[in-house]
Amino acid sequence: MIRTVVTRSSIFPLAILCFILINFADGRRLHSTDIGKRKGTIKTIESDDGDVIDCVDIYKQPAFDHPLLKNHTIESSSLKINNQVKGEKDYALKELQGWLKFGECPEGTVPIVRTPTKFAKYGPKKTHLKSRYYSKLIQPYNQRNASPSDDGHEYAEVSIFGGPYFGAKANINLWSPDPHGTMSISQIWVASSSDNYDELNTIEAGWVIGTGDPRTRFFIYWTSDGYRSTGCKNFDCPGFVQVSRMVAIGSVLEPISNYDGKQIFINVTIDQHKESGEWWLTFQNEAIGYWPNPIFTRLGNGANSLCWGGEIVNDEPNGHHSETQMGSGHFPDEGYTKSSCFTNVMYKDDSQTFKDADNLTTYVTKPLCYDIKVVNDNTAGQGTHFFYGGPGYSDQCPN
């Protein structure tokens, strides 16, 4: 039997520990200003969804910790968004981000979610991208029934290849799929590489839901070396420069779409300013910020591929395919209001004009688990659009 001896010197720290545990157990928590405040914080906003937003001095944001951005001058946020596309209803930023109901960040600051969002990390290299870029960079191809990657990532997406492309955009409807312990993502990819996969550069943005957090969140991601050592999601590392004080990357997005009911869309645009080479991110007509040209090696003069669609991680629990849902969790054949979709899928060419994407190449790793259906009928004003997703594990998707 192990005997525990409590001395007078140990009583005080033990009392502190008990105080902390009791306060958390009865539903109270330590005040957010006491824990993990971001460097350069001027003001803190707490949302009823549990997020804590730090309003950080714009010149003390994480981007300036990047060795290539020490003397960076922030670019102007004035943007011309050509051919702006709209969803079923244009939701204002305050309607989509609950934290804005509790205050706004002052001029000269940017909002940063204090606690890293709790979703599964991307993990190892995205080998489906490797299969595309390694010697097939410019050549169109069709891999609808492609093999899933060896790291468990599975996809249902569309792409265009060749370029140069200077932007990608779409309306993406919001859902809250069950990630079943992994993650489910709907996003836009902008990418360039050579025959060497380790030179792969990507910029990514969309919504994600993941482990330990059942809420849908806005996110960004980037890499400049094939996911080896550079890049990260949101502000987990320096790189992205934020200019907007109205959008918190990584924050909860709500409301979400209802099955066979009201559909909620977000509009996401990633486009390059040809003069500066910076890649700008726009959300609901708000220029959020940009990825500076120096952090990339192969995105200085456009991208050579664009992708739109869904991604999940299959961790094969209990020896069978994951029950992780993609999109709405329903197959594309169910159509609008039931299956998830991207509408007004567009790209920007060398003329600096956004155009409807056509001749899309589909990529589906497991059609019996998740599938995709492209529609070119524009009678509903949805331009080039597609339905995608599925439920994951089922009788027809056992492994």
Side-chain angles (χ1 to χ4, degrees), residues 191-227:
S192 277
S193 188
S194 66
D195 287 348
N196 182 358
Y197 172 77
D198 289 340
E199 295 181 2
L200 174 65
N201 289 203
T202 76
I203 295 172
E204 308 167 27
W207 61 257
V208 62
I209 191 165
T211 305
D213 187 351
R215 296 165 298 181
T216 304
R217 294 179 179 270
F218 183 61
F219 87 101
I220 61 173
Y221 197 96
W222 69 277
T223 182
S224 63
D225 63 355
Y227 304 98

mmCIF file of all heavy atoms in Angstrom, residues 191-227:
data_model
loop_
_atom_site.group_PDB
_atom_site.id
_atom_site.type_symbol
_atom_site.label_atom_id
_atom_site.label_comp_id
_atom_site.label_asym_id
_atom_site.label_seq_id
_atom_site.Cartn_x
_atom_site.Cartn_y
_atom_site.Cartn_z
ATOM 1 N N ALA A 191 -3.291 25.733 -55.789
ATOM 2 C CA ALA A 191 -2.030 24.988 -55.659
ATOM 3 C C ALA A 191 -1.122 25.136 -56.873
ATOM 4 O O ALA A 191 -1.582 25.357 -57.996
ATOM 5 C CB ALA A 191 -2.327 23.509 -55.427
ATOM 6 N N SER A 192 0.179 24.990 -56.620
ATOM 7 C CA SER A 192 1.200 24.945 -57.669
ATOM 8 C C SER A 192 2.346 24.063 -57.213
ATOM 9 O O SER A 192 2.660 24.003 -56.018
ATOM 10 C CB SER A 192 1.747 26.337 -57.989
ATOM 11 O OG SER A 192 0.914 27.030 -58.883
ATOM 12 N N SER A 193 2.988 23.400 -58.172
ATOM 13 C CA SER A 193 4.159 22.596 -57.863
ATOM 14 C C SER A 193 4.935 22.330 -59.136
ATOM 15 O O SER A 193 4.624 22.859 -60.199
ATOM 16 C CB SER A 193 3.749 21.278 -57.198
ATOM 17 O OG SER A 193 4.894 20.583 -56.741
ATOM 18 N N SER A 194 5.956 21.516 -58.992
ATOM 19 C CA SER A 194 6.733 21.032 -60.127
ATOM 20 C C SER A 194 6.649 19.520 -60.083
ATOM 21 O O SER A 194 5.792 18.952 -59.406
ATOM 22 C CB SER A 194 8.191 21.502 -59.995
ATOM 23 O OG SER A 194 8.784 20.887 -58.862
ATOM 24 N N ASP A 195 7.557 18.850 -60.767
ATOM 25 C CA ASP A 195 7.586 17.397 -60.695
ATOM 26 C C ASP A 195 8.018 16.914 -59.316
ATOM 27 O O ASP A 195 7.847 15.750 -58.970
ATOM 28 C CB ASP A 195 8.550 16.831 -61.756
ATOM 29 C CG ASP A 195 7.972 16.933 -63.157
ATOM 30 O OD1 ASP A 195 6.763 17.217 -63.265
ATOM 31 O OD2 ASP A 195 8.731 16.745 -64.117
ATOM 32 N N ASN A 196 8.577 17.796 -58.526
ATOM 33 C CA ASN A 196 9.006 17.459 -57.169
ATOM 34 C C ASN A 196 7.891 17.802 -56.194
ATOM 35 O O ASN A 196 7.579 18.981 -55.972
ATOM 36 C CB ASN A 196 10.282 18.239 -56.817
ATOM 37 C CG ASN A 196 10.802 17.896 -55.428
ATOM 38 O OD1 ASN A 196 10.201 17.102 -54.703
ATOM 39 N ND2 ASN A 196 11.921 18.499 -55.071
ATOM 40 N N TYR A 197 7.295 16.785 -55.584
ATOM 41 C CA TYR A 197 6.165 17.002 -54.681
ATOM 42 C C TYR A 197 6.524 17.899 -53.499
ATOM 43 O O TYR A 197 5.692 18.662 -53.000
ATOM 44 C CB TYR A 197 5.642 15.666 -54.166
ATOM 45 C CG TYR A 197 4.605 15.800 -53.071
ATOM 46 C CD1 TYR A 197 3.299 16.160 -53.382
ATOM 47 C CD2 TYR A 197 4.935 15.584 -51.734
ATOM 48 C CE1 TYR A 197 2.336 16.304 -52.387
ATOM 49 C CE2 TYR A 197 3.988 15.723 -50.737
ATOM 50 C CZ TYR A 197 2.682 16.084 -51.075
ATOM 51 O OH TYR A 197 1.747 16.229 -50.086
ATOM 52 N N ASP A 198 7.758 17.848 -53.054
ATOM 53 C CA ASP A 198 8.170 18.651 -51.904
ATOM 54 C C ASP A 198 8.133 20.141 -52.200
ATOM 55 O O ASP A 198 8.288 20.961 -51.290
ATOM 56 C CB ASP A 198 9.573 18.254 -51.444
ATOM 57 C CG ASP A 198 9.589 16.870 -50.790
ATOM 58 O OD1 ASP A 198 8.519 16.410 -50.367
ATOM 59 O OD2 ASP A 198 10.676 16.265 -50.713
ATOM 60 N N GLU A 199 7.936 20.523 -53.460
ATOM 61 C CA GLU A 199 7.820 21.932 -53.823
ATOM 62 C C GLU A 199 6.360 22.375 -53.901
ATOM 63 O O GLU A 199 6.070 23.504 -54.297
ATOM 64 C CB GLU A 199 8.521 22.196 -55.153
ATOM 65 C CG GLU A 199 10.025 21.972 -55.117
ATOM 66 C CD GLU A 199 10.699 22.259 -56.442
ATOM 67 O OE1 GLU A 199 9.981 22.666 -57.388
ATOM 68 O OE2 GLU A 199 11.931 22.091 -56.533
ATOM 69 N N LEU A 200 5.448 21.498 -53.525
ATOM 70 C CA LEU A 200 4.026 21.830 -53.592
ATOM 71 C C LEU A 200 3.688 23.013 -52.688
ATOM 72 O O LEU A 200 4.028 23.031 -51.504
ATOM 73 C CB LEU A 200 3.183 20.622 -53.178
ATOM 74 C CG LEU A 200 1.674 20.860 -53.049
ATOM 75 C CD1 LEU A 200 1.056 21.204 -54.385
ATOM 76 C CD2 LEU A 200 0.996 19.644 -52.435
ATOM 77 N N ASN A 201 3.029 24.025 -53.269
ATOM 78 C CA ASN A 201 2.505 25.167 -52.527
ATOM 79 C C ASN A 201 0.991 25.117 -52.581
ATOM 80 O O ASN A 201 0.411 24.923 -53.664
ATOM 81 C CB ASN A 201 2.944 26.489 -53.159
ATOM 82 C CG ASN A 201 4.416 26.804 -52.986
ATOM 83 O OD1 ASN A 201 4.807 27.953 -53.046
ATOM 84 N ND2 ASN A 201 5.265 25.792 -52.791
ATOM 85 N N THR A 202 0.318 25.289 -51.445
ATOM 86 C CA THR A 202 -1.142 25.363 -51.453
ATOM 87 C C THR A 202 -1.633 26.488 -50.551
ATOM 88 O O THR A 202 -0.985 26.856 -49.572
ATOM 89 C CB THR A 202 -1.825 24.059 -50.979
ATOM 90 O OG1 THR A 202 -1.729 23.952 -49.556
ATOM 91 C CG2 THR A 202 -1.250 22.837 -51.642
ATOM 92 N N ILE A 203 -2.799 27.019 -50.925
ATOM 93 C CA ILE A 203 -3.586 27.920 -50.092
ATOM 94 C C ILE A 203 -4.973 27.312 -50.015
ATOM 95 O O ILE A 203 -5.540 26.920 -51.037
ATOM 96 C CB ILE A 203 -3.657 29.331 -50.696
ATOM 97 C CG1 ILE A 203 -2.267 29.971 -50.725
ATOM 98 C CG2 ILE A 203 -4.646 30.199 -49.940
ATOM 99 C CD1 ILE A 203 -2.228 31.292 -51.478
ATOM 100 N N GLU A 204 -5.534 27.226 -48.812
ATOM 101 C CA GLU A 204 -6.805 26.528 -48.623
ATOM 102 C C GLU A 204 -7.705 27.319 -47.674
ATOM 103 O O GLU A 204 -7.220 27.928 -46.720
ATOM 104 C CB GLU A 204 -6.544 25.121 -48.063
ATOM 105 C CG GLU A 204 -5.528 24.329 -48.886
ATOM 106 C CD GLU A 204 -5.021 23.078 -48.192
ATOM 107 O OE1 GLU A 204 -5.745 22.515 -47.358
ATOM 108 O OE2 GLU A 204 -3.865 22.683 -48.466
ATOM 109 N N ALA A 205 -9.012 27.284 -47.943
ATOM 110 C CA ALA A 205 -9.960 27.980 -47.065
ATOM 111 C C ALA A 205 -11.334 27.353 -47.216
ATOM 112 O O ALA A 205 -11.715 26.897 -48.297
ATOM 113 C CB ALA A 205 -10.009 29.473 -47.403
ATOM 114 N N GLY A 206 -12.086 27.349 -46.122
ATOM 115 C CA GLY A 206 -13.440 26.805 -46.140
ATOM 116 C C GLY A 206 -13.953 26.614 -44.727
ATOM 117 O O GLY A 206 -13.609 27.365 -43.820
ATOM 118 N N TRP A 207 -14.757 25.561 -44.531
ATOM 119 C CA TRP A 207 -15.243 25.267 -43.179
ATOM 120 C C TRP A 207 -14.837 23.869 -42.760
ATOM 121 O O TRP A 207 -14.599 23.003 -43.600
ATOM 122 C CB TRP A 207 -16.753 25.473 -43.049
ATOM 123 C CG TRP A 207 -17.683 24.645 -43.904
ATOM 124 C CD1 TRP A 207 -18.337 25.055 -45.023
ATOM 125 C CD2 TRP A 207 -18.110 23.282 -43.680
ATOM 126 N NE1 TRP A 207 -19.124 24.041 -45.527
ATOM 127 C CE2 TRP A 207 -19.011 22.945 -44.710
ATOM 128 C CE3 TRP A 207 -17.823 22.330 -42.704
ATOM 129 C CZ2 TRP A 207 -19.616 21.689 -44.802
ATOM 130 C CZ3 TRP A 207 -18.420 21.069 -42.793
ATOM 131 C CH2 TRP A 207 -19.312 20.770 -43.836
ATOM 132 N N VAL A 208 -14.748 23.675 -41.439
ATOM 133 C CA VAL A 208 -14.285 22.403 -40.893
ATOM 134 C C VAL A 208 -15.045 22.094 -39.623
ATOM 135 O O VAL A 208 -15.505 22.991 -38.905
ATOM 136 C CB VAL A 208 -12.762 22.462 -40.593
ATOM 137 C CG1 VAL A 208 -12.455 23.512 -39.538
ATOM 138 C CG2 VAL A 208 -12.222 21.106 -40.146
ATOM 139 N N ILE A 209 -15.210 20.815 -39.364
ATOM 140 C CA ILE A 209 -15.726 20.358 -38.077
ATOM 141 C C ILE A 209 -14.866 19.183 -37.660
ATOM 142 O O ILE A 209 -14.463 18.371 -38.496
ATOM 143 C CB ILE A 209 -17.221 19.978 -38.183
ATOM 144 C CG1 ILE A 209 -17.827 19.765 -36.800
ATOM 145 C CG2 ILE A 209 -17.438 18.771 -39.071
ATOM 146 C CD1 ILE A 209 -19.340 19.747 -36.814
ATOM 147 N N GLY A 210 -14.503 19.107 -36.366
ATOM 148 C CA GLY A 210 -13.534 18.086 -36.003
ATOM 149 C C GLY A 210 -13.637 17.607 -34.575
ATOM 150 O O GLY A 210 -14.593 17.912 -33.852
ATOM 151 N N THR A 211 -12.632 16.861 -34.189
ATOM 152 C CA THR A 211 -12.604 16.146 -32.921
ATOM 153 C C THR A 211 -12.873 17.054 -31.728
ATOM 154 O O THR A 211 -12.258 18.101 -31.577
ATOM 155 C CB THR A 211 -11.227 15.491 -32.734
ATOM 156 O OG1 THR A 211 -10.967 14.662 -33.870
ATOM 157 C CG2 THR A 211 -11.199 14.649 -31.473
ATOM 158 N N GLY A 212 -13.801 16.640 -30.874
ATOM 159 C CA GLY A 212 -14.039 17.338 -29.623
ATOM 160 C C GLY A 212 -14.813 18.629 -29.743
ATOM 161 O O GLY A 212 -15.054 19.304 -28.743
ATOM 162 N N ASP A 213 -15.210 19.010 -30.941
ATOM 163 C CA ASP A 213 -15.916 20.271 -31.126
ATOM 164 C C ASP A 213 -16.980 20.082 -32.200
ATOM 165 O O ASP A 213 -16.663 20.016 -33.381
ATOM 166 C CB ASP A 213 -14.932 21.364 -31.530
ATOM 167 C CG ASP A 213 -15.560 22.742 -31.567
ATOM 168 O OD1 ASP A 213 -16.797 22.838 -31.449
ATOM 169 O OD2 ASP A 213 -14.821 23.726 -31.710
ATOM 170 N N PRO A 214 -18.248 19.992 -31.834
ATOM 171 C CA PRO A 214 -19.302 19.687 -32.799
ATOM 172 C C PRO A 214 -19.754 20.882 -33.625
ATOM 173 O O PRO A 214 -20.744 20.802 -34.349
ATOM 174 C CB PRO A 214 -20.450 19.207 -31.892
ATOM 175 C CG PRO A 214 -20.268 19.991 -30.635
ATOM 176 C CD PRO A 214 -18.767 20.106 -30.458
ATOM 177 N N ARG A 215 -19.020 22.003 -33.555
ATOM 178 C CA ARG A 215 -19.443 23.217 -34.239
ATOM 179 C C ARG A 215 -18.658 23.439 -35.530
ATOM 180 O O ARG A 215 -17.475 23.131 -35.616
ATOM 181 C CB ARG A 215 -19.297 24.421 -33.301
ATOM 182 C CG ARG A 215 -20.198 24.335 -32.083
ATOM 183 C CD ARG A 215 -19.802 25.311 -31.001
ATOM 184 N NE ARG A 215 -18.462 25.052 -30.499
ATOM 185 C CZ ARG A 215 -17.902 25.763 -29.528
ATOM 186 N NH1 ARG A 215 -18.560 26.747 -28.968
ATOM 187 N NH2 ARG A 215 -16.680 25.468 -29.108
ATOM 188 N N THR A 216 -19.321 24.008 -36.514
ATOM 189 C CA THR A 216 -18.711 24.297 -37.805
ATOM 190 C C THR A 216 -17.913 25.597 -37.694
ATOM 191 O O THR A 216 -18.415 26.597 -37.188
ATOM 192 C CB THR A 216 -19.797 24.431 -38.880
ATOM 193 O OG1 THR A 216 -20.578 23.224 -38.901
ATOM 194 C CG2 THR A 216 -19.196 24.667 -40.251
ATOM 195 N N ARG A 217 -16.676 25.561 -38.180
ATOM 196 C CA ARG A 217 -15.799 26.724 -38.060
ATOM 197 C C ARG A 217 -15.170 27.101 -39.398
ATOM 198 O O ARG A 217 -14.924 26.250 -40.250
ATOM 199 C CB ARG A 217 -14.674 26.441 -37.049
ATOM 200 C CG ARG A 217 -15.153 26.263 -35.608
ATOM 201 C CD ARG A 217 -13.989 25.959 -34.681
ATOM 202 N NE ARG A 217 -14.423 25.814 -33.298
ATOM 203 C CZ ARG A 217 -14.504 26.814 -32.421
ATOM 204 N NH1 ARG A 217 -14.166 28.035 -32.799
ATOM 205 N NH2 ARG A 217 -14.900 26.602 -31.180
ATOM 206 N N PHE A 218 -14.897 28.384 -39.562
ATOM 207 C CA PHE A 218 -14.169 28.892 -40.721
ATOM 208 C C PHE A 218 -12.678 28.658 -40.491
ATOM 209 O O PHE A 218 -12.179 28.853 -39.378
ATOM 210 C CB PHE A 218 -14.447 30.380 -40.896
ATOM 211 C CG PHE A 218 -13.809 30.985 -42.108
ATOM 212 C CD1 PHE A 218 -14.128 30.524 -43.374
ATOM 213 C CD2 PHE A 218 -12.887 32.016 -41.988
ATOM 214 C CE1 PHE A 218 -13.545 31.077 -44.505
ATOM 215 C CE2 PHE A 218 -12.294 32.566 -43.105
ATOM 216 C CZ PHE A 218 -12.628 32.109 -44.368
ATOM 217 N N PHE A 219 -11.954 28.218 -41.511
ATOM 218 C CA PHE A 219 -10.525 27.967 -41.338
ATOM 219 C C PHE A 219 -9.749 28.293 -42.603
ATOM 220 O O PHE A 219 -10.300 28.402 -43.703
ATOM 221 C CB PHE A 219 -10.278 26.497 -40.959
ATOM 222 C CG PHE A 219 -10.149 25.586 -42.160
ATOM 223 C CD1 PHE A 219 -8.901 25.168 -42.595
ATOM 224 C CD2 PHE A 219 -11.268 25.166 -42.861
ATOM 225 C CE1 PHE A 219 -8.762 24.344 -43.713
ATOM 226 C CE2 PHE A 219 -11.151 24.343 -43.974
ATOM 227 C CZ PHE A 219 -9.891 23.933 -44.400
ATOM 228 N N ILE A 220 -8.420 28.448 -42.434
ATOM 229 C CA ILE A 220 -7.505 28.590 -43.560
ATOM 230 C C ILE A 220 -6.318 27.655 -43.322
ATOM 231 O O ILE A 220 -6.090 27.179 -42.213
ATOM 232 C CB ILE A 220 -7.001 30.035 -43.732
ATOM 233 C CG1 ILE A 220 -6.218 30.496 -42.485
ATOM 234 C CG2 ILE A 220 -8.158 30.970 -44.037
ATOM 235 C CD1 ILE A 220 -5.549 31.853 -42.644
ATOM 236 N N TYR A 221 -5.564 27.401 -44.380
ATOM 237 C CA TYR A 221 -4.376 26.549 -44.293
ATOM 238 C C TYR A 221 -3.435 26.929 -45.425
ATOM 239 O O TYR A 221 -3.875 27.402 -46.485
ATOM 240 C CB TYR A 221 -4.765 25.073 -44.401
ATOM 241 C CG TYR A 221 -3.695 24.117 -43.932
ATOM 242 C CD1 TYR A 221 -3.709 23.612 -42.642
ATOM 243 C CD2 TYR A 221 -2.658 23.718 -44.773
ATOM 244 C CE1 TYR A 221 -2.731 22.727 -42.196
ATOM 245 C CE2 TYR A 221 -1.670 22.848 -44.339
ATOM 246 C CZ TYR A 221 -1.714 22.357 -43.051
ATOM 247 O OH TYR A 221 -0.738 21.497 -42.605
ATOM 248 N N TRP A 222 -2.127 26.701 -45.231
ATOM 249 C CA TRP A 222 -1.171 26.916 -46.310
ATOM 250 C C TRP A 222 0.069 26.055 -46.090
ATOM 251 O O TRP A 222 0.361 25.618 -44.987
ATOM 252 C CB TRP A 222 -0.752 28.392 -46.414
ATOM 253 C CG TRP A 222 0.091 28.886 -45.279
ATOM 254 C CD1 TRP A 222 -0.351 29.326 -44.062
ATOM 255 C CD2 TRP A 222 1.521 29.005 -45.244
ATOM 256 N NE1 TRP A 222 0.710 29.707 -43.263
ATOM 257 C CE2 TRP A 222 1.877 29.518 -43.968
ATOM 258 C CE3 TRP A 222 2.539 28.718 -46.161
ATOM 259 C CZ2 TRP A 222 3.195 29.758 -43.586
ATOM 260 C CZ3 TRP A 222 3.854 28.957 -45.787
ATOM 261 C CH2 TRP A 222 4.178 29.476 -44.515
ATOM 262 N N THR A 223 0.801 25.789 -47.157
ATOM 263 C CA THR A 223 2.101 25.131 -47.092
ATOM 264 C C THR A 223 2.907 25.564 -48.306
ATOM 265 O O THR A 223 2.346 25.913 -49.356
ATOM 266 C CB THR A 223 1.988 23.603 -47.064
ATOM 267 O OG1 THR A 223 3.304 23.025 -46.953
ATOM 268 C CG2 THR A 223 1.342 23.051 -48.329
ATOM 269 N N SER A 224 4.233 25.532 -48.180
ATOM 270 C CA SER A 224 5.100 25.839 -49.321
ATOM 271 C C SER A 224 6.099 24.726 -49.587
ATOM 272 O O SER A 224 7.006 24.890 -50.410
ATOM 273 C CB SER A 224 5.849 27.162 -49.087
ATOM 274 O OG SER A 224 6.697 27.062 -47.958
ATOM 275 N N ASP A 225 5.936 23.578 -48.893
ATOM 276 C CA ASP A 225 6.862 22.471 -49.140
ATOM 277 C C ASP A 225 6.163 21.118 -49.008
ATOM 278 O O ASP A 225 6.712 20.180 -48.422
ATOM 279 C CB ASP A 225 8.067 22.549 -48.203
ATOM 280 C CG ASP A 225 7.687 22.415 -46.732
ATOM 281 O OD1 ASP A 225 6.478 22.347 -46.431
ATOM 282 O OD2 ASP A 225 8.593 22.372 -45.880
ATOM 283 N N GLY A 226 4.967 21.017 -49.577
ATOM 284 C CA GLY A 226 4.277 19.727 -49.573
ATOM 285 C C GLY A 226 3.900 19.234 -48.194
ATOM 286 O O GLY A 226 3.953 18.032 -47.939
ATOM 287 N N TYR A 227 3.543 20.137 -47.287
ATOM 288 C CA TYR A 227 3.089 19.805 -45.928
ATOM 289 C C TYR A 227 4.205 19.225 -45.050
ATOM 290 O O TYR A 227 3.926 18.613 -44.031
ATOM 291 C CB TYR A 227 1.911 18.821 -45.962
ATOM 292 C CG TYR A 227 0.741 19.275 -46.772
ATOM 293 C CD1 TYR A 227 0.569 18.837 -48.087
ATOM 294 C CD2 TYR A 227 -0.202 20.149 -46.244
ATOM 295 C CE1 TYR A 227 -0.511 19.262 -48.846
ATOM 296 C CE2 TYR A 227 -1.288 20.576 -46.997
ATOM 297 C CZ TYR A 227 -1.434 20.131 -48.296
ATOM 298 O OH TYR A 227 -2.505 20.550 -49.044
#
